[in-house]
PDB file of all heavy atoms in Angstrom:
ATOM      1  N   LYS A 447     -37.078  48.178 -11.245  1.00 90.00           N
ATOM      2  CA  LYS A 447     -37.860  49.339 -11.673  1.00 90.00           C
ATOM      3  C   LYS A 447     -39.212  48.920 -12.264  1.00 90.00           C
ATOM      4  O   LYS A 447     -40.155  49.719 -12.285  1.00 90.00           O
ATOM      5  CB  LYS A 447     -37.080  50.154 -12.705  1.00 90.00           C
ATOM      6  CG  LYS A 447     -35.906  50.936 -12.120  1.00 90.00           C
ATOM      7  CD  LYS A 447     -35.217  51.780 -13.185  1.00 90.00           C
ATOM      8  CE  LYS A 447     -34.077  52.598 -12.580  1.00 90.00           C
ATOM      9  NZ  LYS A 447     -33.376  53.416 -13.609  1.00 90.00           N
ATOM     10  N   HIS A 448     -39.288  47.687 -12.751  1.00 87.00           N
ATOM     11  CA  HIS A 448     -40.529  47.185 -13.353  1.00 87.00           C
ATOM     12  C   HIS A 448     -41.183  46.108 -12.482  1.00 87.00           C
ATOM     13  O   HIS A 448     -41.964  45.278 -12.980  1.00 87.00           O
ATOM     14  CB  HIS A 448     -40.250  46.608 -14.746  1.00 87.00           C
ATOM     15  CG  HIS A 448     -39.789  47.622 -15.745  1.00 87.00           C
ATOM     16  ND1 HIS A 448     -38.476  48.050 -15.823  1.00 87.00           N
ATOM     17  CD2 HIS A 448     -40.466  48.307 -16.703  1.00 87.00           C
ATOM     18  CE1 HIS A 448     -38.357  48.937 -16.804  1.00 87.00           C
ATOM     19  NE2 HIS A 448     -39.550  49.118 -17.349  1.00 87.00           N
ATOM     20  N   LYS A 449     -40.873  46.101 -11.192  1.00 86.00           N
ATOM     21  CA  LYS A 449     -41.417  45.058 -10.327  1.00 86.00           C
ATOM     22  C   LYS A 449     -42.919  45.243 -10.138  1.00 86.00           C
ATOM     23  O   LYS A 449     -43.447  46.351 -10.214  1.00 86.00           O
ATOM     24  CB  LYS A 449     -40.710  45.061  -8.978  1.00 86.00           C
ATOM     25  CG  LYS A 449     -40.912  46.318  -8.141  1.00 86.00           C
ATOM     26  CD  LYS A 449     -40.100  46.237  -6.864  1.00 86.00           C
ATOM     27  CE  LYS A 449     -40.261  47.503  -6.019  1.00 86.00           C
ATOM     28  NZ  LYS A 449     -39.419  47.468  -4.798  1.00 86.00           N
ATOM     29  N   GLU A 450     -43.571  44.114  -9.872  1.00 82.00           N
ATOM     30  CA  GLU A 450     -45.012  44.117  -9.637  1.00 82.00           C
ATOM     31  C   GLU A 450     -45.266  43.998  -8.140  1.00 82.00           C
ATOM     32  O   GLU A 450     -44.718  43.123  -7.471  1.00 82.00           O
ATOM     33  CB  GLU A 450     -45.665  42.956 -10.395  1.00 82.00           C
ATOM     34  CG  GLU A 450     -45.497  43.069 -11.907  1.00 82.00           C
ATOM     35  CD  GLU A 450     -46.083  41.880 -12.645  1.00 82.00           C
ATOM     36  OE1 GLU A 450     -46.475  40.913 -11.955  1.00 82.00           O
ATOM     37  OE2 GLU A 450     -46.144  41.916 -13.883  1.00 82.00           O
ATOM     38  N   SER A 451     -46.097  44.854  -7.625  1.00 73.00           N
ATOM     39  CA  SER A 451     -46.303  44.941  -6.182  1.00 73.00           C
ATOM     40  C   SER A 451     -47.077  43.752  -5.617  1.00 73.00           C
ATOM     41  O   SER A 451     -46.983  43.460  -4.434  1.00 73.00           O
ATOM     42  CB  SER A 451     -47.049  46.244  -5.840  1.00 73.00           C
ATOM     43  OG  SER A 451     -48.283  46.300  -6.544  1.00 73.00           O
ATOM     44  N   VAL A 452     -47.834  43.066  -6.458  1.00 68.00           N
ATOM     45  CA  VAL A 452     -48.695  41.996  -5.941  1.00 68.00           C
ATOM     46  C   VAL A 452     -48.033  40.619  -6.013  1.00 68.00           C
ATOM     47  O   VAL A 452     -48.616  39.627  -5.584  1.00 68.00           O
ATOM     48  CB  VAL A 452     -50.026  41.951  -6.726  1.00 68.00           C
ATOM     49  CG1 VAL A 452     -50.809  43.225  -6.492  1.00 68.00           C
ATOM     50  CG2 VAL A 452     -49.773  41.732  -8.220  1.00 68.00           C
ATOM     51  N   SER A 453     -46.832  40.534  -6.572  1.00 72.00           N
ATOM     52  CA  SER A 453     -46.186  39.224  -6.694  1.00 72.00           C
ATOM     53  C   SER A 453     -44.670  39.380  -6.677  1.00 72.00           C
ATOM     54  O   SER A 453     -44.140  40.483  -6.782  1.00 72.00           O
ATOM     55  CB  SER A 453     -46.613  38.524  -7.992  1.00 72.00           C
ATOM     56  OG  SER A 453     -46.151  39.255  -9.118  1.00 72.00           O
ATOM     57  N   ASN A 454     -43.985  38.251  -6.534  1.00 75.00           N
ATOM     58  CA  ASN A 454     -42.531  38.220  -6.599  1.00 75.00           C
ATOM     59  C   ASN A 454     -42.112  38.126  -8.054  1.00 75.00           C
ATOM     60  O   ASN A 454     -41.545  37.137  -8.513  1.00 75.00           O
ATOM     61  CB  ASN A 454     -41.991  37.030  -5.791  1.00 75.00           C
ATOM     62  CG  ASN A 454     -40.480  36.900  -5.887  1.00 75.00           C
ATOM     63  OD1 ASN A 454     -39.786  37.871  -6.154  1.00 75.00           O
ATOM     64  ND2 ASN A 454     -39.977  35.689  -5.683  1.00 75.00           N
ATOM     65  N   SER A 455     -42.424  39.179  -8.811  1.00 83.00           N
ATOM     66  CA  SER A 455     -42.155  39.130 -10.239  1.00 83.00           C
ATOM     67  C   SER A 455     -41.924  40.543 -10.763  1.00 83.00           C
ATOM     68  O   SER A 455     -41.890  41.514  -9.999  1.00 83.00           O
ATOM     69  CB  SER A 455     -43.321  38.468 -10.982  1.00 83.00           C
ATOM     70  OG  SER A 455     -43.001  38.273 -12.340  1.00 83.00           O
ATOM     71  N   SER A 456     -41.736  40.619 -12.082  1.00 88.00           N
ATOM     72  CA  SER A 456     -41.487  41.896 -12.743  1.00 88.00           C
ATOM     73  C   SER A 456     -42.027  41.806 -14.159  1.00 88.00           C
ATOM     74  O   SER A 456     -42.140  40.712 -14.731  1.00 88.00           O
ATOM     75  CB  SER A 456     -39.984  42.201 -12.758  1.00 88.00           C
ATOM     76  OG  SER A 456     -39.692  43.296 -13.603  1.00 88.00           O
ATOM     77  N   SER A 457     -42.357  42.941 -14.712  1.00 88.00           N
ATOM     78  CA  SER A 457     -42.854  42.962 -16.088  1.00 88.00           C
ATOM     79  C   SER A 457     -41.711  42.977 -17.102  1.00 88.00           C
ATOM     80  O   SER A 457     -41.945  42.935 -18.306  1.00 88.00           O
ATOM     81  CB  SER A 457     -43.741  44.200 -16.301  1.00 88.00           C
ATOM     82  OG  SER A 457     -43.004  45.396 -16.064  1.00 88.00           O
ATOM     83  N   LEU A 458     -40.460  43.021 -16.614  1.00 91.00           N
ATOM     84  CA  LEU A 458     -39.306  43.014 -17.511  1.00 91.00           C
ATOM     85  C   LEU A 458     -39.113  41.609 -18.071  1.00 91.00           C
ATOM     86  O   LEU A 458     -39.121  40.622 -17.331  1.00 91.00           O
ATOM     87  CB  LEU A 458     -38.047  43.451 -16.762  1.00 91.00           C
ATOM     88  CG  LEU A 458     -36.806  43.751 -17.620  1.00 91.00           C
ATOM     89  CD1 LEU A 458     -37.028  44.999 -18.465  1.00 91.00           C
ATOM     90  CD2 LEU A 458     -35.563  43.913 -16.746  1.00 91.00           C
ATOM     91  N   SER A 459     -38.958  41.507 -19.387  1.00 92.00           N
ATOM     92  CA  SER A 459     -38.838  40.205 -20.042  1.00 92.00           C
ATOM     93  C   SER A 459     -37.573  39.464 -19.609  1.00 92.00           C
ATOM     94  O   SER A 459     -36.516  40.063 -19.401  1.00 92.00           O
ATOM     95  CB  SER A 459     -38.823  40.382 -21.559  1.00 92.00           C
ATOM     96  OG  SER A 459     -38.511  39.159 -22.207  1.00 92.00           O
ATOM     97  N   ILE A 460     -37.689  38.155 -19.502  1.00 93.00           N
ATOM     98  CA  ILE A 460     -36.556  37.319 -19.121  1.00 93.00           C
ATOM     99  C   ILE A 460     -35.447  37.365 -20.175  1.00 93.00           C
ATOM    100  O   ILE A 460     -34.279  37.066 -19.876  1.00 93.00           O
ATOM    101  CB  ILE A 460     -37.026  35.867 -18.900  1.00 93.00           C
ATOM    102  CG1 ILE A 460     -35.944  35.060 -18.171  1.00 93.00           C
ATOM    103  CG2 ILE A 460     -37.413  35.209 -20.215  1.00 93.00           C
ATOM    104  CD1 ILE A 460     -36.381  33.667 -17.760  1.00 93.00           C
ATOM    105  N   PHE A 461     -35.769  37.777 -21.393  1.00 94.00           N
ATOM    106  CA  PHE A 461     -34.757  37.837 -22.450  1.00 94.00           C
ATOM    107  C   PHE A 461     -33.723  38.940 -22.210  1.00 94.00           C
ATOM    108  O   PHE A 461     -32.708  38.985 -22.909  1.00 94.00           O
ATOM    109  CB  PHE A 461     -35.436  37.999 -23.818  1.00 94.00           C
ATOM    110  CG  PHE A 461     -36.108  36.749 -24.290  1.00 94.00           C
ATOM    111  CD1 PHE A 461     -37.490  36.622 -24.230  1.00 94.00           C
ATOM    112  CD2 PHE A 461     -35.369  35.669 -24.758  1.00 94.00           C
ATOM    113  CE1 PHE A 461     -38.120  35.466 -24.652  1.00 94.00           C
ATOM    114  CE2 PHE A 461     -35.990  34.505 -25.175  1.00 94.00           C
ATOM    115  CZ  PHE A 461     -37.365  34.391 -25.135  1.00 94.00           C
ATOM    116  N   TRP A 462     -33.961  39.790 -21.233  1.00 95.00           N
ATOM    117  CA  TRP A 462     -32.942  40.762 -20.849  1.00 95.00           C
ATOM    118  C   TRP A 462     -31.740  40.059 -20.210  1.00 95.00           C
ATOM    119  O   TRP A 462     -30.669  40.668 -20.060  1.00 95.00           O
ATOM    120  CB  TRP A 462     -33.525  41.793 -19.882  1.00 95.00           C
ATOM    121  CG  TRP A 462     -34.306  42.865 -20.586  1.00 95.00           C
ATOM    122  CD1 TRP A 462     -35.623  42.841 -20.937  1.00 95.00           C
ATOM    123  CD2 TRP A 462     -33.814  44.126 -21.041  1.00 95.00           C
ATOM    124  NE1 TRP A 462     -35.992  44.006 -21.574  1.00 95.00           N
ATOM    125  CE2 TRP A 462     -34.879  44.821 -21.653  1.00 95.00           C
ATOM    126  CE3 TRP A 462     -32.563  44.749 -20.996  1.00 95.00           C
ATOM    127  CZ2 TRP A 462     -34.749  46.081 -22.214  1.00 95.00           C
ATOM    128  CZ3 TRP A 462     -32.418  46.014 -21.545  1.00 95.00           C
ATOM    129  CH2 TRP A 462     -33.496  46.664 -22.153  1.00 95.00           C
ATOM    130  N   GLN A 463     -31.896  38.803 -19.844  1.00 95.00           N
ATOM    131  CA  GLN A 463     -30.780  38.043 -19.290  1.00 95.00           C
ATOM    132  C   GLN A 463     -29.832  37.498 -20.365  1.00 95.00           C
ATOM    133  O   GLN A 463     -28.746  37.020 -20.038  1.00 95.00           O
ATOM    134  CB  GLN A 463     -31.294  36.858 -18.470  1.00 95.00           C
ATOM    135  CG  GLN A 463     -31.822  37.208 -17.086  1.00 95.00           C
ATOM    136  CD  GLN A 463     -32.050  35.946 -16.260  1.00 95.00           C
ATOM    137  OE1 GLN A 463     -32.670  34.992 -16.708  1.00 95.00           O
ATOM    138  NE2 GLN A 463     -31.522  35.954 -15.048  1.00 95.00           N
ATOM    139  N   VAL A 464     -30.233  37.557 -21.615  1.00 95.00           N
ATOM    140  CA  VAL A 464     -29.425  36.964 -22.677  1.00 95.00           C
ATOM    141  C   VAL A 464     -27.979  37.469 -22.686  1.00 95.00           C
ATOM    142  O   VAL A 464     -27.037  36.662 -22.768  1.00 95.00           O
ATOM    143  CB  VAL A 464     -30.096  37.184 -24.053  1.00 95.00           C
ATOM    144  CG1 VAL A 464     -29.150  36.790 -25.185  1.00 95.00           C
ATOM    145  CG2 VAL A 464     -31.381  36.374 -24.146  1.00 95.00           C
ATOM    146  N   PRO A 465     -27.730  38.807 -22.592  1.00 96.00           N
ATOM    147  CA  PRO A 465     -26.327  39.259 -22.632  1.00 96.00           C
ATOM    148  C   PRO A 465     -25.453  38.661 -21.534  1.00 96.00           C
ATOM    149  O   PRO A 465     -24.299  38.290 -21.798  1.00 96.00           O
ATOM    150  CB  PRO A 465     -26.454  40.783 -22.474  1.00 96.00           C
ATOM    151  CG  PRO A 465     -27.817  41.105 -22.989  1.00 96.00           C
ATOM    152  CD  PRO A 465     -28.666  39.951 -22.582  1.00 96.00           C
ATOM    153  N   GLN A 466     -25.972  38.539 -20.303  1.00 96.00           N
ATOM    154  CA  GLN A 466     -25.130  38.011 -19.230  1.00 96.00           C
ATOM    155  C   GLN A 466     -24.814  36.538 -19.460  1.00 96.00           C
ATOM    156  O   GLN A 466     -23.698  36.079 -19.182  1.00 96.00           O
ATOM    157  CB  GLN A 466     -25.786  38.229 -17.871  1.00 96.00           C
ATOM    158  CG  GLN A 466     -27.081  37.482 -17.612  1.00 96.00           C
ATOM    159  CD  GLN A 466     -27.931  38.119 -16.524  1.00 96.00           C
ATOM    160  OE1 GLN A 466     -28.292  39.299 -16.611  1.00 96.00           O
ATOM    161  NE2 GLN A 466     -28.267  37.351 -15.487  1.00 96.00           N
ATOM    162  N   TYR A 467     -25.772  35.780 -19.984  1.00 95.00           N
ATOM    163  CA  TYR A 467     -25.503  34.378 -20.310  1.00 95.00           C
ATOM    164  C   TYR A 467     -24.499  34.256 -21.457  1.00 95.00           C
ATOM    165  O   TYR A 467     -23.599  33.399 -21.432  1.00 95.00           O
ATOM    166  CB  TYR A 467     -26.808  33.668 -20.688  1.00 95.00           C
ATOM    167  CG  TYR A 467     -27.616  33.180 -19.513  1.00 95.00           C
ATOM    168  CD1 TYR A 467     -28.777  33.845 -19.111  1.00 95.00           C
ATOM    169  CD2 TYR A 467     -27.246  32.041 -18.807  1.00 95.00           C
ATOM    170  CE1 TYR A 467     -29.533  33.395 -18.040  1.00 95.00           C
ATOM    171  CE2 TYR A 467     -27.998  31.575 -17.732  1.00 95.00           C
ATOM    172  CZ  TYR A 467     -29.141  32.260 -17.348  1.00 95.00           C
ATOM    173  OH  TYR A 467     -29.890  31.810 -16.275  1.00 95.00           O
ATOM    174  N   MET A 468     -24.641  35.099 -22.473  1.00 95.00           N
ATOM    175  CA  MET A 468     -23.734  35.057 -23.618  1.00 95.00           C
ATOM    176  C   MET A 468     -22.306  35.403 -23.202  1.00 95.00           C
ATOM    177  O   MET A 468     -21.339  34.774 -23.665  1.00 95.00           O
ATOM    178  CB  MET A 468     -24.222  36.020 -24.707  1.00 95.00           C
ATOM    179  CG  MET A 468     -25.554  35.653 -25.326  1.00 95.00           C
ATOM    180  SD  MET A 468     -25.475  34.216 -26.420  1.00 95.00           S
ATOM    181  CE  MET A 468     -24.653  34.902 -27.845  1.00 95.00           C
ATOM    182  N   MET A 469     -22.169  36.376 -22.322  1.00 96.00           N
ATOM    183  CA  MET A 469     -20.830  36.762 -21.882  1.00 96.00           C
ATOM    184  C   MET A 469     -20.191  35.694 -21.006  1.00 96.00           C
ATOM    185  O   MET A 469     -18.982  35.455 -21.079  1.00 96.00           O
ATOM    186  CB  MET A 469     -20.877  38.110 -21.155  1.00 96.00           C
ATOM    187  CG  MET A 469     -20.968  39.293 -22.101  1.00 96.00           C
ATOM    188  SD  MET A 469     -20.823  40.887 -21.286  1.00 96.00           S
ATOM    189  CE  MET A 469     -22.514  41.154 -20.788  1.00 96.00           C
TER     190      MET A 469
END
Side-chain angles (χ1 to χ4, degrees):
K447 288 183 178 179
H448 295 82
K449 65 183 179 183
E450 297 177 352
S451 57
V452 295
S453 65
N454 177 24
S455 187
S456 169
S457 60
L458 191 68
S459 171
I460 194 173
F461 287 104
W462 280 87
Q463 283 191 311
V464 170
Q466 65 202 57
Y467 277 105
M468 295 288 286
M469 282 187 275

